Amino acid sequence: MDANAVAELEQAGVKVDQPDRLYVAVEWEDGKRVLPVGQRAQVRAGEQLAHVTLQPISKLWTGDKQPPSFAKAPPPEYEPFFMLIEATAAGYCRATRNTETDQEFERLYRHLLRRPDGTDRNPLFSHLQGAVRLYMSLRDVSQAEFEAVVERLHQSARHFSTHTGSINYFQEVLRGVLGA
């Protein structure tokens, strides 16, 4: 958790007690190019927009709590974490009018798992990182919990992939998150 990020959001009027109602919104450069999420992220809470400074993922890991098995379904206490990440992914696809393929989501989640503070050519990666950083700024999350959540997202994208170019993960999972 990052008390500075919490204070910054609260000062902007964002309610931080329901992270599942937030997502990292897309910002544009000259209305043409998506800006990757850097140290500061634009957060959407309903119709409200606010900017917040976020620490790298590796600086936000707290404690050594071991997550339960996500084999069947994630326990309810992890749903806001999943929701914030998937709402960010859905919002990104909606804003850019570009539905990423199942294979690309699978690749991005795998990359996030392996290099949480890394970079990628796809700006969606920085938005997924931003979503993780935002959630971890609001709640205590151990490295093991982070890894379990991202691994589950990776498995979900892989599960929905039926062929090259399929967009089933978006259609079956993300579309309903924001009505994307």
Side-chain angles (χ1 to χ4, degrees):
M1 196 164 127
D2 181 357
N4 292 330
V6 170
E8 198 174 342
L9 287 168
E10 286 176 338
Q11 189 173 23
V14 174
K15 295 180 181 176
V16 298
D17 60 334
Q18 295 178 310
D20 54 328
R21 296 183 182 228
L22 307 175
Y23 69 94
V24 176
V26 171
E27 290 189 85
W28 297 90
E29 180 178 56
D30 300 327
K32 298 176 186 175
R33 189 175 78 80
V34 174
L35 289 172
V37 176
Q39 185 178 5
R40 290 188 55 80
Q42 180 172 256
V43 176
R44 180 172 290 279
E47 294 301 312
Q48 183 181 14
L49 285 173
H51 284 86
V52 63
T53 303
L54 300 172
Q55 298 296 317
I57 293 170
S58 62
K59 300 240 187 239
L60 292 167
W61 288 319
T62 306
D64 57 2
K65 182 177 177 187
Q66 294 300 308
S69 172
F70 291 175
K72 292 184 180 178
E77 64 265 24
Y78 288 90
E79 288 175 9
F81 198 0
F82 282 94
M83 185 63 123
L84 198 156
I85 296 169
E86 291 181 326
T88 296
Y92 178 91
C93 290
R94 182 174 64 186
T96 61
R97 296 185 174 162
N98 177 38
T99 305
E100 296 290 353
T101 65
D102 301 332
Q103 289 175 325
E104 182 65 359
F105 273 112
E106 184 181 346
R107 185 187 75 76
L108 291 172
Y109 288 136
R110 183 177 55 246
H111 186 54
L112 182 59
L113 185 61
R114 291 181 178 165
R115 292 188 175 74
D117 293 331
T119 60
D120 191 84
R121 68 185 180 280
N122 187 336
L124 174 55
F125 181 75
S126 70
H127 285 77
L128 296 173
Q129 279 178 318
V132 169
R133 292 164 52 210
L134 176 59
Y135 184 85
M136 292 175 68
S137 294
L138 304 176
R139 301 287 183 271
D140 288 337
V141 178
S142 70
Q143 182 176 353
E145 289 173 302
F146 158 78
E147 291 172 351
V149 167
V150 176
E151 177 59 32
R152 176 62 185 217
L153 290 166
H154 172 254
Q155 290 171 354
S156 182
R158 183 176 46 204
H159 168 79
F160 283 100
S161 182
T162 56
H163 62 278
T164 301
S166 68
I167 57 169
N168 298 323
Y169 175 70
F170 174 82
Q171 290 180 325
E172 300 295 325
V173 178
L174 299 182
R175 181 176 273 163
V177 174
L178 288 180

